[in-house]
Amino acid sequence: MVAVALAATPAFAQIVKVDGSSTVFPVTEAVAEDFQKAKKQKVKVTVGISGTGGGFKKFCRNETDVSNASRPILKAEMADCQKAGIEYFELPVAFDALTVVVNPKNAFIKQLSVAELKKMWEPSAQGKVTRWNQVNPAWPDQPMKLFGPGADSGTFDYFTEAVVGKAKSSRGDFTASEDDNVLVQGVSRDVNGIGYFGYAYYLENKDKLKAVQIVNDKGQAVAPSMEAVLKGSYTPLARPIFIYVNAKSLAKPEVKEFVEYYLKNGAALAREVKYVPLPDSAYRIALEHVQKGKKGTVFGGTAEVGVTIDELLKREAKL
């Protein structure tokens, strides 16, 4: 038995370790599958889901080569990486339309304003705002069942920043999970369910969920879609998603090849898993940053809401 195990080891000698955001997972998983095929299975890419925050914890402990992130790295995480001597490349890979969903049998919610979402999710709603008619008197006197990502999730950070006005500021009495599939099941099985997660998870399950139109700052109710993200009308819930690459890991040929493969094929694979690909120039700029050693973040460690594709490109070009 031991001899067999030892003989099998070389097949997995080259491993690229990825962890982090469940939102970025579908894109990275698609890239990993194609890359492993291209390398004829000589390189193994492991992709974990511990949320953006959980992923950065591992990344800043030097446990992973690449970290999937559905928000930029924050100041505390930058400090952790600095203490551990970890430098990194911040590479945007797509845009996501964070999607609010209800049960398909919900006939009264067609659209939601940020103010209504805030009434549901702000910390002061905990234990008090528990029925639909407390959010809007036109809605029925029925119990409201909330489902959302856990506190280690970048989606949780982004949503709370966009809706409540402060990242991680949320009521605690909701069903939380870092696994978006758990949230999908929760809302699809409860007629009074409402939740939020990345667009790809909605599209994968659109037969059992209903996406809600979000009223933007111009007063327009806009459904999540690739077109709305590209136009900049799906605000404030459109956001860039990233991979962060450990600079030292890039010295390993398998990691360098994986990252280059990601940037060369990311647009097509992002589209395939129903995210909004960035313009070709964005992937070229990211590749140049890797080749020229342009490390660090263009976000300065603060949570930001409403960054458009154009704005992101301008920042990346200046790094």
Side-chain angles (χ1 to χ4, degrees):
M1 288 294 285
V2 175
V4 172
L6 289 173
T9 306
F12 299 103
Q14 291 188 307
I15 296 178
V16 180
K17 291 179 186 168
V18 187
D19 207 320
S21 164
S22 61
T23 303
V24 187
F25 175 84
V27 189
T28 302
E29 179 73 350
V31 174
E33 280 175 14
D34 277 22
F35 176 71
Q36 286 171 131
K37 275 183 210 153
K39 297 299 291 178
K40 300 187 167 47
Q41 308 297 333
K42 285 176 187 161
V43 179
K44 184 177 172 66
V45 184
T46 61
V47 189
I49 303 178
S50 54
T52 298
F56 275 132
K57 281 180 191 125
K58 291 182 180 183
F59 186 72
C60 296
R61 288 198 300 256
N62 206 22
E63 291 171 17
T64 55
D65 303 301
V66 178
S67 210
N68 288 332
S70 63
R71 58 151 173 81
I73 192 167
L74 300 175
K75 277 183 181 148
E77 292 158 346
M78 289 164 74
D80 287 345
C81 274
Q82 197 174 2
K83 268 183 226 157
I86 289 163
E87 294 183 300
Y88 46 82
F89 293 92
E90 174 184 80
L91 307 174
V93 292
F95 251 73
D96 174 36
L98 201 158
T99 303
V100 177
V101 295
V102 291
N103 187 282
K105 289 182 180 153
N106 183 319
F108 59 90
I109 291 187
K110 302 283 189 292
Q111 62 184 56
L112 284 167
S113 66
V114 171
E116 285 167 335
L117 285 168
K118 184 178 179 180
K119 253 191 206 179
M120 291 179 199
W121 288 95
E122 64 189 341
S124 60
Q126 182 159 331
K128 292 177 186 160
V129 180
T130 57
R131 302 182 81 75
W132 291 110
N133 64 340
Q134 291 175 284
V135 179
N136 184 327
W139 296 346
D141 182 8
Q142 292 286 333
M144 192 168 60
K145 299 288 179 64
L146 298 160
F147 297 86
D152 259 348
S153 162
T155 301
F156 173 79
D157 292 345
Y158 190 90
F159 182 85
T160 47
E161 179 78 33
V163 166
V164 182
K166 187 181 174 196
K168 295 193 186 296
S169 180
S170 170
R171 66 191 299 165
D173 56 343
F174 66 96
T175 302
S177 177
E178 308 299 343
D179 184 347
D180 293 325
N181 293 305
V182 172
L183 308 178
V184 167
Q185 292 305 322
V187 177
S188 67
R189 286 173 184 167
D190 194 321
V191 69
N192 283 303
I194 182 167
Y196 64 92
F197 35 74
Y199 185 57
Y201 289 90
Y202 158 66
L203 279 185
E204 229 174 71
N205 299 280
K206 64 180 182 189
D207 54 331
K208 49 188 172 184
L209 297 167
K210 184 168 90 172
V212 180
Q213 295 185 0
I214 303 299
V215 180
N216 65 18
D217 52 3
K218 292 184 178 141
Q220 304 160 320
V222 180
S225 71
M226 289 196 190
E227 295 72 32
V229 172
L230 287 167
K231 266 198 264 175
S233 61
Y234 189 69
T235 57
L237 297 184
R239 58 183 176 156
I241 59 175
F242 309 85
I243 58 169
Y244 285 75
V245 182
N246 183 324
K248 280 182 187 152
S249 291
L250 272 177
K252 295 188 273 190
E254 62 273 22
V255 176
K256 185 171 183 283
E257 284 175 30
F258 173 69
V259 171
E260 286 175 353
Y261 189 90
Y262 204 132
L263 296 173
K264 286 171 185 169
N265 299 278
L269 291 165
R271 195 177 288 109
E272 201 175 282
V273 296
K274 307 296 188 267
Y275 282 123
V276 180
L278 298 170
D280 290 344
S281 60
Y283 299 100
R284 276 201 307 275
I285 290 167
L287 201 51
E288 276 171 27
H289 286 178
V290 170
Q291 288 161 350
K292 291 177 181 172
K294 290 187 174 181
K295 293 172 280 209
T297 172
V298 298
F299 289 88
T302 53
E304 281 187 64
V305 165
V307 176
T308 63
I309 290 175
D310 287 347
E311 167 68 15
L312 178 70
L313 289 181
K314 279 178 195 156
R315 289 190 196 188
E316 291 295 333
K318 285 180 190 164
L319 184 68

